[in-house]
């Protein structure tokens, strides 16, 4: 809708000057948003935002935003500590120089708003300590699931909640690819090519399709959900490149849909609570709210002891949605700065991480077999020997072309892997196909 | 999962004493939650919560919670201003005495956390002014959609966002009834009886089924989304009691599902922005995220100019989920109290309300007709004369038993009502059945 004309700044509304580090998609969208929304924000929050410095790599590139003379600079280090900057927004991405710039800004007493998942997932503890020492905010809503408010609800709304598990569709590229494979029968390569054509996937799609991007977000979510630090390296991940049209078909026939999920669980360990955190394709039952999250949308599903099931859904990427999340943090940090207060993160120490071998879930397994007398019994024996219990099983085809598709009850990863390895040695087994974890209807 | 044993309170963690007004479902759940979670909260937030006073109507009723001697009292007014109480939680419900008690607590410098939609929707402005004058928090996450974090995201995460529309399924009772009607072909009376049997609906279901409950929540949502005060009396509402199995059938055939929606829109008026806010049954296309919100679950769908579409989903009622939302607010208010700060609501003045006659949406209309030559033309003429354009139309049956079902393009309410009234005068029209607004695929 049309914006009302910007009224003249009220003389008594203090200005908070924002220094922007980086001006790509998100940065440029933020500059535009601040310009359009500054008056409305001043009215509601009592601070008037002004982007006073922008550090960029190239002074000549057209970003589609208009800025006053002298605002653009190539000297990011100077912006981070500029006395004329009250608050710093970091949207450079990557670890260095973003880390050094963020630390410098915090040390100079400036609140920092970051959209940088990689930095937060690898150095979040160091940055939080620096922010607390300086007595300023370090906010990062935009680092996970773009425009969806999930960091603030985890930090604040659910502050009293005992969270059991968080599952997220937090990578839009892979969700787009899987949606195309499910709804149009596309194979993986074609769906990936379509995603690349639309600009959803990079030319080198590794970070998305192998689960690294989702893994960094999982580390941040797990840290906040469970109050103990989890870093990117703690997260087990498996990508979607191995999924076939046949797997998608099987999922559909079984009343499921395959999604790339980030799964963060709190589990009881021998020496106290542990955190299990992993990214992998998962079979989600059609009636589960996550199953309806299509195309490049993201969603985070939270299971709490008191609150029950919650889901947060929206755009996980894109300049405008991500800039909206950054702007919410900027307003919050600006108001806090004026009040001389700041938010604490509430993460105490490192989480004890459960090894992937010890994690548990039900599994979907497809096995290409020679259909001859006794084959089913020999397969069942392998599962039984490894203490993996079969919940349901069906056989397709006959003769040398048969395929057995089954779903297990909840089992240990290590037991399932041992099962698969023994299955491969059976003479009647041609091939063990995809192994996909099942969530949402654990039994 | 199992709770770790409560470690002894660290000597340096300050205690914040909570005075609880009311101890029904939500209050009792809160007492239990605080007991179980106090240690974890102290570790993460730096404050230890303690429920020190509880005002109840009956000292003898068993609430399933254990409290120390002297905690229970029948004197709510004394708890509200007790110097031994740092923070007040109001879960009495209704307007009086909740309003007076809340004002007394605020005047005594105590932050108040309220789960009281009726109070907030009718006297929110007065309470916010009192809280601001006292320099303390007035938080009310639990007043809308129970355990779902929606107030905080609207107030903080979306502080910079230009919100166009919010649509919510915010009444679990009616959503349960409509889900039964849709999925099991139940008629309204049977579905209502089932909801009453399960404790989802009151013996007198008026507040739920006529949309009063959803209307109060709509007023609160609209105030926060648009930054101007909307009160319960501003909300137009229509209930679900008139819906028939035939309407549900038609919706299904048209690829829609009927939900009771609270709709809050910002629209351009002749003298600046206006707020349109209403509660009514609505046809939602099956592929819309709100269509999948089943049973007694709630969801709030937010459409923002920059952030795009967001949805917040979860349990909208029940002791534990609601208490979880209250507890999140209590932790926030307790931390703020320790820091000597508080949150401002950011609502400026009264909203200009658009009259229902001037509101616009597409409509579904069913018309029982005598199928004879010219009937369709005469119906089409009525729509045309009233400037309501028909998007799609189908006729079922023949002879004296025919029914025409149609969906219009977006039209003014007043024009649609005039159309319906003229249709009733046509000799070939036996009856104009349900008129249901359509959302989510406006054209």
């Amino acid at each position: 809708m049309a914006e009302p004309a910007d009224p003249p700044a009220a003389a008594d509304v203090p200005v908070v000057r924002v220094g922007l580090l980086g001006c790509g998609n998100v940065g440029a969208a933020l500059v535009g948003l601040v310009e359009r929304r500054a008056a409305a924000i001043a009215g509601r929050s009592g601070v008037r935002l002004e982007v006073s410095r922008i550090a960029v790599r190239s002074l000549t590139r057209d970003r589609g935003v208009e800025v006053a003379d002298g605002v653009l600079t190539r000297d990011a280090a100077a912006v981070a500590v500029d006395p004329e900057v009250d608050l710093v927004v970091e949207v450079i991405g990557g670890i260095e120089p973003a880390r050094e710039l963020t630390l410098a800004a915090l040390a100079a007493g400036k609140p920092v708003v970051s959209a940088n998942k990689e930095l937060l997932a690898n150095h979040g503890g160091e940055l939080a300590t620096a922010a607390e020492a300086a007595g300023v905010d370090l906010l990062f809503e935009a680092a996970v699931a773009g425009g969806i408010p999930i960091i603030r609800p985890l930090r604040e709304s659910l502050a009293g909640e005992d969270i059991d598990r968080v599952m997220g569709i937090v990578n839009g590229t892979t969700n787009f690819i899987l949606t195309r494979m499910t709804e149009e029968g596309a194979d993986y390569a074609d769906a990936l090519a379509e995603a690349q054509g639309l600009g959803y996937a990079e030319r080198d799609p590794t970070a998305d399709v192998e689960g690294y991007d989702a893994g960094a977000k999982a580390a941040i979510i797990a840290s906040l959900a469970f109050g103990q630090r989890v870093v990117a390296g703690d997260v087990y991940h498996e990508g979607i490149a191995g999924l076939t049209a046949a797997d998608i078909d099987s999922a559909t026939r079984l009343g499921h849909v395959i999604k790339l999920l980030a799964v963060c669980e709190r589990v009881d360990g021998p020496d106290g609570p542990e955190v299990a955190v992993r990214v992998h394709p998962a079979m989600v039952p059609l009636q589960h709210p996550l199953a309806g999250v299509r195309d490049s949308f993201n969603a985070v599903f939270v299971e709490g002891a008191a609150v029950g099931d919650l889901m947060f859904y929206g755009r996980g990427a894109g300049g405008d949605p991500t800039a909206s999340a950054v702007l919410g943090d900027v307003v919050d940090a600006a108001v806090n700065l004026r009040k001389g207060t700041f938010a604490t993160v509430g993460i105490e120490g490192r989480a004890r991480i459960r090894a992937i071998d010890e994690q548990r879930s039900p599994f979907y397994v497809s096995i290409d077999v020679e259909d001859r007398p006794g084959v089913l019994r020999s397969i069942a024996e392998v599962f039984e020997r490894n203490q993996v219990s079969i919940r349901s099983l069906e056989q397709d085809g006959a003769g040398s072309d048969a395929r057995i598709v089954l779903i297990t009850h909840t089992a240990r990863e290590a037991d399932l892997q041992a099962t698969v390895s023994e299955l491969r040695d059976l003479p009647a087994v041609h091939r063990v196909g995809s192994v996909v974890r099942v969530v949402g209807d654990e039994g």
Side-chain angles (χ1 to χ4, degrees), chain A residues 24-33 36 91 115 142 146-147 315-327:
Chain A
N25 255 353
V26 176
L30 181 68
V31 172
L33 260 185
R36 289 197 300 280
V91 287
R315 289 262 168 225
D320 277 341
T322 309
S324 171
V326 169
L327 184 54

Side-chain angles (χ1 to χ4, degrees), chain A residues 93-108:
Chain A
I95 291 189
E96 295 295 358
R99 178 182 149 277
E100 273 187 24
L101 292 168
T102 300
L103 289 171
L106 294 171

Side-chain angles (χ1 to χ4, degrees), chain A residues 153-165:
Chain A
L154 284 175
R155 278 171 77 153
E156 301 181 15
S157 311
L158 299 169
E161 183 67 31
D162 184 18
I163 296 176
D164 296 322
R165 180 162 72 165

Side-chain angles (χ1 to χ4, degrees), chain A residues 158-167 218 221-230 262-278 301-305 346-354 358-360:
Chain A
L158 299 169
E161 183 67 31
D162 184 18
I163 296 176
D164 296 322
R165 180 162 72 165
V166 184
M167 299 193 293
I221 289 173
S223 299
L224 292 167
F226 306 127
Q228 295 186 308
R229 179 72 54 193
V230 174
V263 181
C264 313
E265 288 175 300
R266 188 143 196 188
V267 288
D268 289 324
D271 305 309
E274 298 178 355
V275 172
V277 53
R278 55 188 196 263
F301 192 83
V302 178
E303 299 170 13
I347 296 177
E348 304 181 283
R350 280 280 281 153
R352 200 180 284 123
I353 302 297
R354 170 152 301 191
E358 300 299 323
Q359 296 189 27
R360 300 169 68 83

Side-chain angles (χ1 to χ4, degrees), chain A residues 1-7 36-37 39:
Chain A
M1 63 181 293
E3 291 281 328
D6 217 30
R36 289 197 300 280
R37 302 291 298 159

